[in-house]
Amino acid sequence: MVPGQATVRAGRTTLPQAQERHYLARMLAIVLAALAAGFLGSPHCVGMCGGLAAAGGGRPGAATRAPGGARLRVVGAPGGAALWHLGRLTTYAVLG
């Protein structure tokens, strides 16, 4: 066997230890970069959806009170989820 060359044993390719460590280090770097991007991007998600989630985050069919005292139905109303997502997507499209 030539040093640094992959070998095949029982139908499975094995890499030399140095290559395997390098591969695992690259995979770990990719996973950590993805986690960092998720954490750094979370304020965007809170800003875009936080108000909507807080406004409609009650029990399905529950009613809340508006500042004037009027009762408001949240997402649990018939077709409410479809209207919720239609409004959300329309807002995102308008805002860019």
Side-chain angles (χ1 to χ4, degrees), residues 45-59 64-65 72 74-75 84:
C45 297
V46 170
M48 290 297 286
C49 296
L52 292 173
R59 293 184 321 271
T64 58
R65 296 276 179 191
L72 300 173
V74 292
V75 177
W84 174 277

Side-chain angles (χ1 to χ4, degrees), residues 52 74-91:
L52 292 173
V74 292
V75 177
L83 290 173
W84 174 277
H85 291 296
L86 179 64
R88 181 180 59 84
L89 294 174
T90 302
T91 302

Side-chain angles (χ1 to χ4, degrees), residues 2-27:
V2 176
Q5 188 176 16
T7 59
V8 178
R9 290 188 187 145
R12 185 172 170 204
T13 303
T14 59
L15 297 173
Q17 282 187 335
Q19 276 185 314
E20 190 170 335
R21 280 194 303 267
H22 178 69
Y23 174 77
L24 292 175
R26 286 180 55 195
M27 291 302 294

